[in-house]
Amino acid sequence: MGAVLLYKSMSLDGFVAGPDIGAEHPMGKGGMRLHEWMFTDQPDPRDKEVLAAMSASVGAVVVGRHTFDVGLPHWQDTPYPAPTFVLTHQTRDELVMKSATFTFITDGIEAALKAAQDAAGDKDVIVMGAQTGRQFLRGGLLDELLINLVPVVLGSGSRLLEDLGHIELVRTEVIASDAVTHLRFRVVK
């Protein structure tokens, strides 16, 4: 079985999205700055390597409903080419996309994690969405936290590491480019 990973780009002041997240601004106002390092025409080889390794490891994804709602119009597919499980309170039929299928889970994070792990096999499960990430951290369900620390201060928006209580982490990797510092932590359980 692979690891359960939370993979987020974050500003220096701890925001993973800007304010006013919605259809017009899926990353909030100013939040796309956090992903510029991924979509540049001339990426740093270190950043390309980090992205390639992450993409190769993904076996399934768990995403929050809000992230699904604002992300789908932009993704036009699953966020990774892997089965994606959407945490929701509303029942819905599976949504088959070009690369994989969205399955809607109403039974909570443990049920979503079990379904994702079953689908992922020996590959990793990626958790997406700030609120969903916090739920997984609070529940002790994450194995690793990967933060792409972007040299910008957003000033407001959605924080990932807020109201969590005490969580011990062990840093296992640091890769720095001019655009971003990739930090990998193991969650101490």
Side-chain angles (χ1 to χ4, degrees):
M1 185 179 312
V4 181
L5 310 171
L6 179 58
Y7 185 67
K8 297 297 288 180
S9 290
M10 181 185 296
S11 67
L12 288 175
D13 53 346
F15 294 101
V16 293
D20 302 321
I21 296 170
E24 188 177 339
H25 301 284
M27 288 292 301
K29 291 180 180 172
M32 284 306 294
R33 169 65 179 93
L34 298 174
H35 290 173
E36 285 178 4
W37 65 274
M38 288 189 260
F39 302 113
T40 181
D41 291 338
Q42 296 183 349
D44 185 292
R46 294 164 289 196
D47 297 335
K48 281 178 65 173
E49 186 176 311
V50 167
L51 282 173
M54 174 55 59
S55 294
S57 78
V58 177
V61 178
V62 176
V63 62
R65 178 62 191 245
H66 186 66
T67 300
F68 167 80
D69 286 341
V70 298
L72 184 60
H74 300 277
W75 302 326
Q76 296 293 305
D77 200 355
T78 52
Y80 291 90
T84 301
F85 300 86
V86 182
L87 282 166
T88 183
H89 296 291
Q90 301 169 350
T91 334
R92 180 174 169 176
D93 292 337
E94 289 186 340
L95 178 59
V96 178
M97 303 301 288
K98 179 177 61 177
S99 298
T101 299
F102 286 103
T103 302
F104 299 85
I105 305 290
T106 58
D107 298 332
I109 61 173
E110 290 86 3
L113 177 57
K114 170 87 170 82
Q117 286 176 318
D118 289 348
D122 62 351
K123 290 192 150 200
D124 296 335
V125 172
I126 302 296
V127 176
M128 292 179 65
Q131 182 178 353
T132 302
R134 282 193 297 275
Q135 289 176 3
F136 271 73
L137 274 167
R138 268 192 214 103
L141 301 174
L142 282 181
D143 298 313
E144 294 183 71
L145 178 61
L146 289 79
I147 299 293
N148 305 301
L149 193 60
V150 180
V152 64
V153 174
L154 289 182
S156 64
S158 295
R159 289 188 190 272
L160 175 63
L161 305 174
E162 184 171 68
D163 299 325
L164 290 173
H166 185 90
I167 297 172
E168 286 288 332
L169 305 169
V170 174
R171 189 185 70 217
T172 59
E173 184 176 52
V174 177
I175 299 172
S177 73
D178 291 338
V180 62
T181 302
H182 307 282
L183 302 165
R184 189 173 191 125
F185 300 93
R186 181 176 46 81
V187 179
V188 178
K189 296 184 181 187

